[in-house]
Amino acid sequence: LSAAMMLDHLGENDAANRIRAAVSATLDEGEQVTGDVRRAQTGSVEGAAGTQAFADAVIAHLA
């Protein structure tokens, strides 16, 4: 999301919105979320993904 904020600052609002939408879609799916998100969802980190897997899922939503 910090990349989206940077893109907003640079006036690249469409690209920023695409990143936000991809992050949102990844979180909504709930499959590839990091430990902090999984803990907030379920109270446990069991089944959490690493940061690389989360990033890959976000990137997949950009394609």
Side-chain angles (χ1 to χ4, degrees):
L1 293 176
S2 59
M5 290 171 53
M6 178 192 65
L7 289 167
D8 281 333
H9 177 73
L10 295 172
E12 296 292 337
N13 302 95
D14 290 337
N17 289 334
R18 286 188 62 223
I19 290 174
R20 285 189 191 91
V23 170
S24 181
T26 303
L27 293 173
D28 288 345
E29 281 181 350
E31 296 294 321
Q32 298 292 330
V33 295
T34 55
D36 56 331
V37 175
R38 178 73 74 213
R39 188 180 307 109
Q41 291 173 333
T42 68
S44 170
V45 296
E46 187 174 332
T51 54
Q52 184 64 56
F54 178 78
D56 289 343
V58 171
I59 291 166
H61 282 100
L62 287 171

